Amino acid sequence: MKKKLIAGNWKMNGGLAANEALIRNLLAGLGTPGCQVALCVPTAYLAQCHDLLNGTGIDLGAQDVSQHEAGAFTGEISCAMLKEFGARYCLVGHSERRQYHAETDTVVALKAQRALASGITPIVCVGETLAEREAGRTEEVVKRQLAAVIHANGHCISEIVLAYEPVWAIGTGKTASAEQAQQVHAVLRAQLKAASSQSDRILLLYGGSMNPVNAAQLLAQADIDGGLIGGASLKAPDFLSIIASAG
Ligand code: 13P
């Protein structure tokens, strides 16, 4: 059976002292986890976190990457740069990028393609807004978002990690129920299966107010292979508790 993945997304939080304390506390309590663990940290702290995590059981991830290889793209970070700091993962198409930085399905697909070509595993995020859910458009929206990534990546799609993050559940304390999450995961799983004979290896993460209380039930669902954790990844005891639920 494939090991689950618990990935923290620190978002735009942290500082040199706070990062070090958090990572030291995580490492002190981690033991030998029964799942894979990763931290997606702000770009500015990749070097620091690389030093602190190198050789530990925790993998390093970034939160975004440019779809371009190199050149005149002021402010952007390339896959090659992420690689130099040991990033194994990169979030791609997080709803906050889609919402606040106008990232389209096409851009997200190109970013995933660039990451895959560079040996970085993209954690591709999909999810519907509250208005879309209430309009009964959840399936249509997540399938459209995933279809763009499948279309651009062909058989390489089996190398991605996919995260379902309902936008209405992010940072709101409103978690999708285990049934709601599983329902969408099953739809995504079927779409991946139709696209690739290797789809079984793709990890499907749930994200959106996952916490120590609801993690076990979400992670017990048939098509939920892990979690993408925002707020709770900033508190070592909470993140460790979620990791323990996945083990
Ligand atoms: P929260 O866990 O804070 O709801 O954030 C989820 C998320 O967006 C992770 O990428």
Side-chain angles (χ1 to χ4, degrees), residues 9 11 91 94-96 125 165 169-173 207-210 228-232:
N9 173 10
K11 307 194 179 185
L91 300 181
H94 190 280
S95 63
E96 288 149 16
C125 304
E165 297 206 309
I170 295 178
T172 58
S209 298
M210 196 186 266
L228 184 53
I229 325 295

Side-chain angles (χ1 to χ4, degrees), residues 74-183:
T74 301
E76 295 278 62
I77 308 290
S78 72
C79 282
M81 295 171 189
L82 298 186
K83 287 284 280 185
E84 285 204 299
F85 293 100
R88 174 168 178 191
Y89 297 102
C90 182
L91 300 181
V92 167
H94 190 280
S95 63
E96 288 149 16
R97 303 283 325 164
R98 293 179 190 261
Q99 190 178 349
Y100 305 131
H101 301 273
E103 283 193 14
T104 61
D105 293 343
T106 306
V107 167
V108 173
L110 290 173
K111 288 185 174 193
Q113 194 177 41
R114 181 69 65 193
L116 286 169
S118 313
I120 292 172
T121 300
I123 302 180
V124 176
C125 304
V126 299
E128 82 287 4
T129 62
L130 184 58
E132 288 164 341
R133 173 162 281 265
E134 287 177 344
R137 294 182 52 219
T138 298
E139 261 194 44
E140 169 208 324
V141 169
V142 297
K143 282 169 91 169
R144 188 203 71 222
Q145 292 172 335
L146 178 56
V149 181
I150 291 173
H151 179 71
N153 289 282
H155 70 274
C156 294
I157 197 69
S158 63
E159 304 297 323
I160 73 165
V161 170
L162 182 62
Y164 168 55
E165 297 206 309
V167 178
W168 49 271
I170 295 178
T172 58
K174 279 188 205 163
T175 324
S177 69
E179 294 73 29
Q180 282 174 320
Q182 166 56 29
Q183 208 171 21

